[in-house]
Structure formats: structure tokens, C-alpha cells
Amino acid sequence: DSATSAAGLVITFEDDGPNAQAQAEASADAMLDESLAAPNGAGDGVNPGVISATTIAGLFAAPVFGADGAGSSGGGDGVSYTLQAADDALTGLWLTGKSDPADEILLVKVSETEYEGREGGVGGTLAFSIEIDGDSGEVTITQHATLEHTDDGAAHDDVLTLDADIRVVQTVEDADGDTDSATSAAGLVITFEDDGPDITNEVATPILDDEGQSTAVNPGPDAAGIVGGPGDDAGVLYELQGDFDFAAGSDGLKAFEITGLTANGSPLKAINVDTATGRGTAEAVNVTWVQNGADAGGTYTGVGAVSGHTIFTLVVTAGGHYTFTLFEPLAHPATHDGDAQNGVETEWEDNLSLV
């Protein structure tokens, strides 16, 4: 006798799936240097900054695809990448010259693979962009505007770090479309190094001569320059012009500033001629720099500490052109220029070098 089971055999086939896992201690970083005037421009800086695909892959354990094998996503190897960050996240960064909280650069999500840093958020000035290649994982950071580095002075390479937490998400896909994702244990470390200005020492070749100066004396003869004395250099030049060779750097020119002035390494002094007696005595020279209100230029003025007279002016334009004008004679040392003799003068050209 035979009997057939009331129900057919229930045979099931359970799927296998892939596995993605972050590496606990792994990190990835990139440094940009504003010494480039523009992305891929001239200079010794870094822009854009790149985090290699190998480094990004190192944020994760080797992908496991299971029995089905790798899928076709991610350029055919079954691994793809996206970025993860909070939209409108604070970055702790500002554009050059800015510091108001309302002007802080915020992260703006463009897509799963791209974020931008914009002043104040959506619609603001674009400061930088961060993009990941969804197939390879390579990350490119491009700086579009300079940032406010608060360490002023001669140090030009101070560093800012992006505060916003931007992480990488790896997705592993097997051949029948199952996926698993993991998020990097740490955010990307992105830093921006400052740029700074550069100026070359300017040596003015024309020689100014005190004999171009005169002071009216009453009563008595005027204190007027004598042209053609012993050892005299030709000319009575009291004004010269030139141009400073400078580069403002990627931050742009804020202002010139001139400080300090010495004559042959000593404090500058002028000759104050008494208009009643014609007697001349040395006086200290007080110097001040006044910046132009409308541009980066200004005027450096030397004033006699006793007489109150303007001794000289150095006028600098925003483009670096300068005009030096001498109004009254300077006090010269009792030595011959380039000679060790120190005593009675027999020549009149003891030259001063103003620095």
C-alpha cells in the first residue's frame, strides 16, 4: 500500500550577503597651501589637495562579498563611496578679513559625493569644495577663496583646520544586489596653510645732496648749499623716485607700513639752522607713518624734534611707487666715507645710507 505526503517538501535557499567594516584607528588627511593664487595656478602652494583612493580604502577592512561574489557597482569592483556630514555644519573658518559669526563658512550638501563650504551657507561666496569619486574613493578638496588666518606677522604658514565632521561611507555590493555599508571611524582632517606677502630690498641709486637745501637767516647771510666744494659729487638732487618690488600674495594687499629709519646704523639726525643767528645744531628726527584713507599707500614723515620742521617725506602709492623728498640738511658723521680717518674734514661728501 502507498501514500503520498499531504504537502510537498519545503526547501529554502538562504541568501549570503556582503560585509563592510570600518578600521577603528585609520584616518585620512589633506593639506592645502594658499601660496597658489588660484586652483592649479602659479606658486609653491597646494590647491587642490587630494586624498588618494588607497588612503580612503585604508579607512575600511577589506570588503567581503560572500558566496555571490562582487557586484558591478563602484566601477565594476562592487565597492562605492559617498560623503557624510551635517548640512549647514559650522566649519570654524571665515573668508579673509571676516570674523562675524554671521559670516562663518558653513557646509552645504550638493550631493552624496560633494559638499561645499560657503560663507553663511547656501548662496554665499564659495570658499572650498570637497568631492569624492564614488567609484575609486579619491577625495579632492579645492580652495576657491582665501581664508582668515589670525596669526599675523612674519610667519606665513600658520594652519587652519576644518572643524566640521566629514566622514566617508563605503558601500559593498554583491552580485545579486545585496549591500552593506560602513562609515569611517574618524572624519577627514583637512587643513589650510596661509600665504604671505614678499618684498625685495630696494636700493635707490641716485644720491641726494644737502647742498640743495637752504635756510633764510635774518639778519645775516642765508644758510645756503655750496655747489662744487672739495670732493663734491655733482648735482643738487633733493628728490628721488623708485618702485618697491613686492608681491601681496593670494590674500591681496591690505596696506604698506614703513617703520624705523637709521643712518649708517645710528638714529637719524638733521641740522636745525637758527634763523636769527645762522647757527646749525644737530637735532633728532621723529618719524611717523600715516596710511592713506582710500588705499594701501601712505606717507612716512620725518620731523625735527626741536624745530618741528619737516625733514623728509617718503610717499608710497598702493602700487609700490615711492617718492623721497629731502627738505632740510641731515647731520653727517665726521668721517670720510670709506676711509678710516677721523679728524679734520678736507672733503664734504660723508655719505649717509638711510635704511
Side-chain angles (χ1 to χ4, degrees):
D1 189 22
S2 298
T4 302
S5 61
L9 300 175
V10 178
I11 301 173
T12 58
F13 299 87
E14 192 170 279
D15 196 9
D16 188 22
N19 181 65
Q21 183 176 341
Q23 296 278 42
E25 302 298 325
S27 62
D29 60 84
M31 185 274 290
L32 289 85
D33 186 336
E34 291 183 358
S35 295
L36 288 181
N40 300 308
D44 61 354
V46 178
N47 189 14
V50 175
I51 305 175
S52 70
T54 300
T55 299
I56 294 300
L59 298 174
F60 305 92
V64 176
F65 298 100
D68 294 326
S72 59
S73 64
D77 64 356
V79 180
S80 59
Y81 298 91
T82 58
L83 296 175
Q84 182 184 88
D87 203 10
D88 287 331
L90 301 176
T91 65
L93 304 174
W94 281 261
L95 296 177
T96 297
K98 303 292 187 70
S99 61
D100 191 282
D103 295 327
E104 184 172 356
I105 297 168
L106 306 182
L107 276 188
V108 176
K109 183 176 181 179
V110 178
S111 67
E112 294 295 327
T113 58
E114 183 177 7
Y115 282 79
E116 293 177 340
R118 290 185 174 270
E119 183 180 51
V122 176
T125 299
L126 178 63
F128 58 83
S129 57
I130 303 169
E131 187 171 7
I132 191 168
D133 185 311
D135 293 338
S136 71
E138 181 178 272
V139 175
T140 302
I141 306 98
T142 304
Q143 188 171 355
H144 300 276
T146 60
L147 304 178
E148 176 63 24
H149 291 74
T150 56
D151 290 341
D152 299 328
H156 298 163
D157 291 326
D158 43 304
V159 174
L160 298 173
T161 301
L162 176 67
D163 285 348
D165 188 26
I166 303 176
R167 304 201 179 205
V168 177
V169 178
Q170 182 191 70
T171 298
V172 177
E173 180 190 47
D174 69 12
D176 69 354
D178 295 323
T179 62
D180 187 40
S181 296
T183 303
S184 60
L188 301 176
V189 179
I190 299 173
T191 55
F192 300 87
E193 194 169 277
D194 198 8
D195 185 29
D198 180 68
I199 189 167
T200 302
N201 288 336
E202 168 68 7
V203 179
T205 54
I207 299 176
L208 301 182
D209 204 318
D210 280 353
E211 63 200 33
Q213 314 301 319
S214 63
T215 302
V217 178
N218 187 20
D222 292 343
I226 301 173
V227 179
D232 191 17
D233 289 333
V236 292
L237 189 66
Y238 58 87
E239 180 180 287
L240 60 82
Q241 299 186 37
D243 294 280
F244 289 115
D245 181 12
F246 75 96
S250 60
D251 291 323
L253 179 63
K254 179 179 180 180
F256 283 102
E257 183 177 5
I258 298 177
T259 59
L261 183 66
T262 61
N264 291 5
S266 300
L268 179 65
K269 292 185 178 182
I271 298 296
N272 175 29
V273 178
D274 190 310
T275 58
T277 66
R279 181 184 180 187
T281 56
E283 65 174 339
V285 178
N286 297 324
V287 292
T288 57
W289 169 260
V290 178
Q291 186 179 333
N292 295 341
D295 59 42
T299 301
Y300 194 51
T301 304
V303 176
V306 176
S307 65
H309 297 169
T310 298
I311 308 301
F312 71 84
T313 59
L314 175 60
V315 180
V316 183
T317 70
H321 183 77
Y322 66 85
T323 302
F324 184 92
T325 306
L326 184 64
F327 295 99
E328 297 204 359
L330 302 178
H332 292 248
T335 57
H336 299 297
D337 186 39
D339 192 283
Q341 180 179 346
N342 194 0
V344 177
E345 288 292 286
T346 58
E347 294 188 358
W348 297 352
E349 296 297 353
D350 299 309
N351 295 335
L352 290 176
S353 296
L354 305 186
V355 179

